[in-house]
Amino acid sequence: DTAVSQTPKYLVTQMGNDKSIKCEQNLGHDTMYWYKQDSKKFLKIMFSYNNKELIINETVPNRFSPKSPDKAHLNLHINSLELGDSAVYFCASSHGKGGIEKLFFGSGTQLSVL
Amino acid sequence: GQQLNQSPQSMFIQEGEDVSMNCTSSSIFNTWLWYKQDPGEGPVLLIALYKAGELTSNGRLTAQFGITRKDSFLNISASIPSDVGIYFCAGPGSNYKLTFGKGTLLTVNP
């Protein structure tokens, strides 16, 4: 009964491939996020959805496309993967829209692009 | 945009020692949050601070919201091996974004 679960935990793929990471939360939260953590452990927000509506869209390549079929799910699809996309991607959720909200994170997806 | 400077970047300490780390902001914050990331896991909220001067404890952890509202401090007393991990400060940025510091990597030698 993990609160925020994301799959897969590890993803190894070749450059140019398309891949998806899935995220689900069972906390009843209204807002979900995708964060990217680079090799220096810096956490940077990518996207945020509130009740299936996109509210944060940081400057990320348009090869990255989030999709929220319902407020409990936020998936991340990445087209034409590049070496620089290698990182750990974290899904998170919160009750409200963010800012001072407590974030609950998934355990991360380590993406390695070869 | 807002920047958070966290120091030190890393710490190597012996079990039983006390630890201090801090975070400074380029602008005033109304909230300070401290998260811990265990190896292979996502960050977990440790302490939230909502008022300048506030001092809040969570077990052996104590955090303070600086009077200037531009800094915050986290102290860990009598460290144990399971304290290892990365500690992040965070504060509310513009447009619902939570801004994270670059983290302090803590290693505890048993």
Side-chain angles (χ1 to χ4, degrees):
Chain A
D1 56 342
T2 307
V4 180
S5 58
Q6 55 183 109
T7 55
K9 175 76 174 171
Y10 300 97
L11 185 53
V12 181
T13 188
Q14 299 286 332
M15 256 190 340
N17 283 349
D18 303 339
K19 289 292 178 188
S20 292
I21 307 172
K22 296 187 175 182
C23 181
E24 176 182 6
Q25 54 96 2
N26 62 8
L27 297 167
H29 286 165
D30 291 331
T31 308
M32 295 185 72
Y33 311 79
W34 278 108
Y35 277 82
K36 180 180 179 181
Q37 187 172 47
D38 61 22
S39 58
K40 295 184 179 176
K41 307 301 181 185
F42 185 50
L43 274 165
K44 188 167 166 49
I45 191 164
M46 300 173 70
F47 302 102
S48 173
Y49 272 75
N50 175 260
N51 283 317
K52 302 197 298 172
E53 180 188 347
L54 182 66
I55 58 171
I56 294 175
N57 185 355
E58 283 297 271
T59 309
V60 299
N62 57 15
R63 298 181 294 105
F64 290 78
S65 54
K67 287 204 169 38
S68 182
D70 55 62
K71 72 175 193 177
H73 295 84
L74 180 62
N75 304 321
L76 183 65
H77 189 74
I78 316 170
N79 287 329
S80 304
L81 277 155
E82 301 177 357
L83 292 176
D85 297 332
S86 296
V88 181
Y89 293 83
F90 285 101
C91 177
S93 72
S94 67
H95 180 64
K97 284 186 179 178
I100 63 171
E101 294 286 332
K102 176 178 179 179
L103 296 185
F104 290 78
F105 284 85
S107 57
T109 295
Q110 177 143 8
L111 172 64
S112 299
V113 182
L114 307 177
Chain B
Q2 287 162 325
Q3 293 183 350
L4 293 181
N5 296 309
Q6 222 176 312
S7 65
Q9 271 190 321
S10 61
M11 303 181 77
F12 297 84
I13 62 170
Q14 292 297 125
E15 184 177 357
E17 288 182 4
D18 297 342
V19 171
S20 288
M21 59 190 78
N22 69 77
C23 198
T24 58
S25 167
S26 57
S27 54
I28 288 173
F29 275 6
N30 293 317
T31 302
W32 280 99
L33 305 168
W34 284 93
Y35 282 81
K36 182 197 176 194
Q37 184 178 15
D38 287 331
E41 297 295 330
V44 174
L45 182 67
L46 296 173
I47 293 178
L49 302 160
Y50 299 107
K51 199 166 136 185
E54 181 181 350
L55 190 71
T56 297
S57 292
N58 177 3
R60 294 177 295 104
L61 276 63
T62 302
Q64 183 161 24
F65 193 141
I67 291 291
T68 65
R69 293 165 62 193
K70 286 188 175 184
D71 55 8
S72 181
F73 307 88
L74 177 70
N75 297 314
I76 305 173
S77 61
S79 58
I80 58 178
S82 62
D83 289 334
V84 300
I86 305 174
Y87 292 79
F88 292 98
C89 61
S94 57
N95 298 326
Y96 312 114
K97 295 177 205 170
L98 191 62
T99 300
F100 282 85
K102 293 188 177 179
T104 294
L105 174 62
L106 178 64
T107 303
V108 179
N109 295 320

